[in-house]
Amino acid sequence: MGGTQIIILIAFILAIVIAVTTSNKIMRQNRDKKN
Amino acid sequence: MNIFITLTMLGIYIAGLAYAVYSNPLPEQSFEDFAVGGRSFGWQFITMTIIGTWYPGSLLIGWAQMGYDMGVTSTYLIFYTLGGLYIFFLICSPLWKLGKVYDLKTMGQLFELRYNSRSLRIFVGLVVLLVELPWIITELLASGYAIQAITYEKIPFNLGMTIIAVFFLLYVLFSGMRAVIIADYYQGWMFLIGGMVLFGVAVYHFFGGIGPMLMEVRDIQAELLTVPGPMSGWGGEAPGALFWPSLILMGMFGAYMWPSLFSRIFAAASTKELKESIRITPFVAPIFTLLILLVAIGASARPEFNTGDSAYALVNMISSMGPVAVATISILILAGALSMMDSMISSWSIVFVNDVLTPFFPNMSPKTQTTIARVFTVLVGFAGLMMAMTDLPTIVQLLTRVYQAIVQVFPAVFLGLIWKKGNKLSAWGGTLTGIIIVAYFAFTQPDYVPFLNGMQGGLIALAINFLVYVALAYVGKPENNVDELFIAIKTKDIDLKRLT
């Protein structure tokens, strides 16, 4: 796999990791705030 | 090996999306939770969900084709994204406050509240639903294409569309607007990081930078770097000089009139969260759009990737980089299609229950409303799927032509929020006049009006619509409840509770 492919793959995985972790974190904070 | 890489990436993407959505169920089975996510979302979600919903899957196909064929004319999308956000900034605070105090969930409800007209609510509800219908089909087709591409045609087109339709219908059924906002937040990150890196890398991979890329385009087809107009080299076939600016203005005024985006304003936790989302969106959204359009324009300098249909030249070019690029661009198309379809179908079900059914059955319980919304979601989803699998029915083709009708609700929404004099008569008069003029131009002219120097017919309709609204506002009397509504609009968030 070439260098460009690896950069694209890292960005793809980073996007998913950030989206999943931050969405759950913010939703948890919202729930805590409401309670 | 290639298909193993692409399918693994698709699996990771779907698993991440499913995990984000399903780990946040509805806290209670109320229609408010289903319809506007309990009015609980902060600026981070509002920002990313606007970005996620803004870009359809067809951005990388239809708009990319415009970049390929018409060059920088396609950049109208960047300017109208910015202009639309300005309109969003102007209307978000009064709209949210009215939503909070009067439990608004849809545009139709706003019309009934502001103009005291139930028939106007039903009319507006139906118009916005019908104008949005063709988009669902376009996006289903885009998702079928994405699945076909990512599986190297191992999964046929129709089966790919069906799998994706079932997937998003399941999460919309699970928690309505809450699921949609979380899913679109996820897609927003996919665009921002996955998309920006993919297209940034592509510019250097194929051309060695933006400068060399544009020079190649200039050497092959210099007019692609100009917008149609006098002395721009486009020749007599191109639309006139007013085409480009009218595209921008129409997009800007219509941007937040689509029901799927309009109702997002009600999902925010406060006006502060809405305004804070404007800190980031105007910077990142245009950069992402510019990158895609630039690469699409650059693709015109690589004619070997145009294998008969310029709509797929950008995807073909990016895909030539290898399986990771194939997977990423297909997933970006899928992300755009999913975020558009889930938003539209959920807002359809909400508008249908709220604006079309509830006025006839005012005592319907919130639980019944939620159940009917869920049933309607499934019906619309499968009806769209059936239509996408056949030749588009004439009604859909007709609706595609009148898409500019959506902009015609803007004067009644905007002026209704800032000017007390607007009344039932002006709202009906302005909106109907606008829609009739749009329909006239849609069926007698191409997408622009040649004798108006290329201006879009919808923009003329909008100007007349504004004038009719203002004129009729002086003919009729202001609505009885208008002072009360403007007190709510001028009240600070923190004091709104005593008005509810």
Side-chain angles (χ1 to χ4, degrees), chain B residues 60-109:
Chain B
L60 297 169
I61 303 171
W63 263 297
Q65 181 176 31
M66 193 179 188
Y68 188 98
D69 292 337
M70 295 195 69
V72 294
T73 307
S74 61
T75 58
Y76 81 95
L77 180 60
I78 300 166
F79 298 100
Y80 102 61
T81 302
L82 279 171
L85 285 168
Y86 176 63
I87 299 286
F88 173 87
F89 180 77
L90 293 180
I91 64 172
C92 70
S93 174
L95 254 184
W96 185 88
K97 287 175 181 174
L98 290 179
K100 179 79 178 168
V101 176
Y102 298 96
D103 191 25
L104 302 186
K105 300 174 187 77
T106 61
M107 187 192 287
Q109 262 184 314

Side-chain angles (χ1 to χ4, degrees), chain A residues 1 4-24 26-31 33-34, chain B residues 9 12-13 16 19-20 23-24 40-41 44-45 178 182 185-186 189-190 193 197-198 201 205 321-325 328 331:
Chain A
M1 207 188 290
T4 50
Q5 296 272 303
I6 291 171
I7 296 171
I8 298 167
L9 184 62
I10 291 171
F12 172 80
I13 291 171
L14 192 64
I16 290 178
V17 171
I18 292 178
V20 171
T21 52
T22 56
S23 70
N24 277 1
I26 300 167
M27 291 303 286
R28 201 169 45 243
Q29 282 171 348
N30 276 359
R31 272 196 297 272
K33 220 190 278 176
K34 266 196 169 176
Chain B
M9 287 175 71
I12 293 172
Y13 165 78
Y19 178 74
S23 47
N24 293 292
S40 62
F41 287 94
Q44 306 95 324
F45 270 96
R178 178 177 294 264
I182 295 170
Y185 174 87
Y186 183 87
W189 279 109
M190 196 46 98
I193 300 185
V197 171
L198 177 71
V201 164
H205 179 83
M321 290 163 73
V324 173
T328 309
I331 287 170

